[in-house]
Amino acid sequence: MLDQNLKTQLKAYLERITRPVVLVASPNDTPKSAEMMALLAEIAALSDKITVETRADARSPSFALTSPGQDISLRFAGLPMGHEFTSLVLALLQTGGYPPKVEQAVLDQVKALQGDFTFETYFSQSCQNCPDVVQALNLMAVLNPGVKVVAIDGSDFRAEVEARQVLSVPTVYLNGQVFGQGRMTLEEILSKVDSGAAAREAANLAAKEAFDVLVVGGGPAGAAAAIYAARKGIRTGIAAERFGGQVLDTMSIENLISVPHTEGPRLAQALETHVREYDVDIMNLQKAAGLSRNGDLIEVALASGATLSARAVILSTGARWRQMGVPGEEQYRNKGVTYCPHCDGPLFKGKRVAVIGGGNSGVEAAIDLAGVVAHVTLIEFDARLRADEVLQRKLRSLPNVNIIVSAQTTEVKGDGTKVSALVYKDRVGGQVHELPLEGIFVQIGLLPNTDWLKGAVDLTPRGEIAIDSHGATSMPGVFAAGDCTTTPYKQIVIAMGAGATASLAAFDHLIRVTAPAAEQAA
């Protein structure tokens, strides 16, 4: 199962555990079970603190991690390989007593949870969003005996997936009911199960003193802006709905100069790590709701009810997936309508799907899905595909792909629980067609996250923040950077540079217009 290099690395990690770990296997007579038992044997051979036992469980093949004297209920159903192998390594370390790299206040909040919480998470090994959820829940199970978790590989437990109509990963159930879908951090999960958390956090935020520079948004542009501001020695804060932003949903990154290849979640973690090296007040899970001026200060109202103030603000709220905007899309979101082929593709194995969009993203998605699903229909609104020619040639060479151009998607149909068909109109002849299928992957670009800024700063008809060459907006003291702006090319490396530009411009504004907050406080 594991090559020698991986064994060597894992053995070094396992030297950090301080208490025994018992892997309780629940095998059956399938080939997947044999692979699981081989994996557990290899892991146990790497540390004298790890042993393997066998015990029946309702889900098999599966295995649990526990430690003598500890009340831990943490189980993997299926093989946690691919993106989930890191989740297994962390579960081994934390079950074995190795302290997690999480703020103490968050750990205390987990330990203080009262009640019984049984979480079931459906994942796929190709999903880059799933590990965050699995790892957060695993840690909760290690810290709090009232939390029981099982991570389930949807491709290995097809009967469950079909019975529960799971068509998007990660999908999380709590005590038998759908709890959430998509990426969730530990803090996000806690905010949903700890009823008083939101009010406490809002009170803490409202009590904060004014910042010199407040960055709104935690993607590449926001991270760069925060670092450049903090390096000037001024009071810097960053409020982000989710640190990492759209990068978290990016599978492969090969054009970040000096980094030949990385993955979105890994880059997002690196961005946060870098920001934390400086004196930056990071306020995660904070959605901005309004922007206004109050005398010399600029105020950012948050959805939580709190308000942050600063002498200069940098807007870097990024963008989100563009939706089709047709009847049925929202109703069947995560029930067949999805936006991440890498995450959700394995759930549609052997099924018929459509990809909406003929740009690079759409064609790449269709090529990727063609190796998993029974058939792919790519639908493009324009009269021709807009993807690079090399991608088009690859797509056209695939036997289970059909390409339809000059087609306008008009409706998503379903049976009330999942997608059953896509309706589109021929833009040339006017005929309406209904395409039977089980999945729709939408790949038609991005929309800037600027709805909350209408009336506060100038926006283009597309919703982008209008900026000058220094990143300045129409409101003095407010700057912007990244995919939410009129910057012509939406690229990570460009967003980073724009964040640095906006931050330097904000500092220049401060030294010319007003004294830093720290000086005024003195």
Side-chain angles (χ1 to χ4, degrees), residues 209-210 212 296-297 311 510 513-522:
E209 296 180 0
D212 288 314
D296 291 336
L297 296 177
R311 286 165 173 76
L510 287 177
V513 176
T514 181
E519 180 180 324
Q520 290 195 359

Side-chain angles (χ1 to χ4, degrees), residues 432-446:
V432 175
H433 303 271
E434 183 170 316
L435 183 67
L437 43 67
E438 288 80 30
I440 301 169
F441 291 80
V442 183
Q443 301 283 291
I444 53 175
L446 302 171

Side-chain angles (χ1 to χ4, degrees), residues 465-477:
I465 303 170
I467 59 173
D468 65 14
S469 59
H470 289 71
T473 72
S474 59
M475 181 184 289

Side-chain angles (χ1 to χ4, degrees), residues 216-436:
V216 184
I227 289 170
Y228 266 72
R231 286 172 60 87
K232 296 295 186 181
I234 58 179
R235 178 169 161 75
T236 304
I238 181 168
E241 188 170 355
R242 58 171 187 162
F243 208 102
Q246 190 75 13
V247 165
L248 290 166
D249 302 323
T250 304
M251 181 64 178
S252 180
I253 300 170
E254 298 177 346
N255 57 357
L256 182 57
I257 310 307
S258 84
V259 181
H261 177 267
T262 188
E263 295 176 346
R266 184 178 300 174
L267 176 59
Q269 182 58 57
L271 291 173
E272 184 170 356
T273 298
H274 196 175
V275 172
R276 289 187 182 279
E277 290 185 0
Y278 295 91
D279 188 14
V280 177
D281 189 344
I282 298 177
M283 297 159 282
N284 205 5
L285 308 183
Q286 302 304 321
K287 183 176 182 178
L291 179 74
S292 61
R293 176 174 289 282
N294 183 5
D296 291 336
L297 296 177
I298 299 157
E299 294 186 340
V300 175
L302 303 176
S304 65
T307 297
L308 300 173
S309 59
R311 286 165 173 76
V313 168
I314 298 172
L315 307 171
S316 57
T317 49
R320 63 190 184 277
W321 292 114
R322 183 187 297 273
Q323 295 181 292
M324 296 180 291
V326 300
E329 178 179 18
E330 193 59 37
Q331 179 183 357
Y332 291 103
R333 184 182 177 96
N334 295 324
K335 298 176 183 178
V337 176
T338 182
Y339 303 84
C340 182
H342 301 294
C343 302
D344 301 333
L347 298 175
F348 293 84
K349 184 177 181 179
K351 298 182 178 182
R352 298 159 300 172
V353 305
V355 172
I356 311 299
N360 282 348
S361 296
V363 172
E364 287 172 354
I367 293 170
D368 186 17
L369 290 165
V372 178
V373 305
H375 188 271
V376 179
T377 300
L378 186 140
I379 296 178
E380 165 58 32
F381 182 84
D382 204 349
R384 60 183 180 83
L385 301 185
R386 293 166 286 106
D388 295 342
E389 184 60 35
V390 63
L391 294 175
Q392 293 191 43
R393 287 198 300 269
K394 174 63 177 177
L395 182 69
R396 297 180 193 281
S397 72
L398 300 174
N400 62 335
V401 173
N402 185 33
I403 301 171
I404 302 175
V405 296
S406 298
Q408 179 182 359
T409 303
T410 59
E411 184 181 1
V412 174
K413 289 189 173 182
D415 61 6
T417 60
K418 62 182 185 299
V419 166
S420 63
L422 176 73
V423 180
Y424 69 91
K425 178 182 178 180
D426 185 330
R427 296 179 57 238
V428 177
Q431 302 92 338
V432 175
H433 303 271
E434 183 170 316
L435 183 67

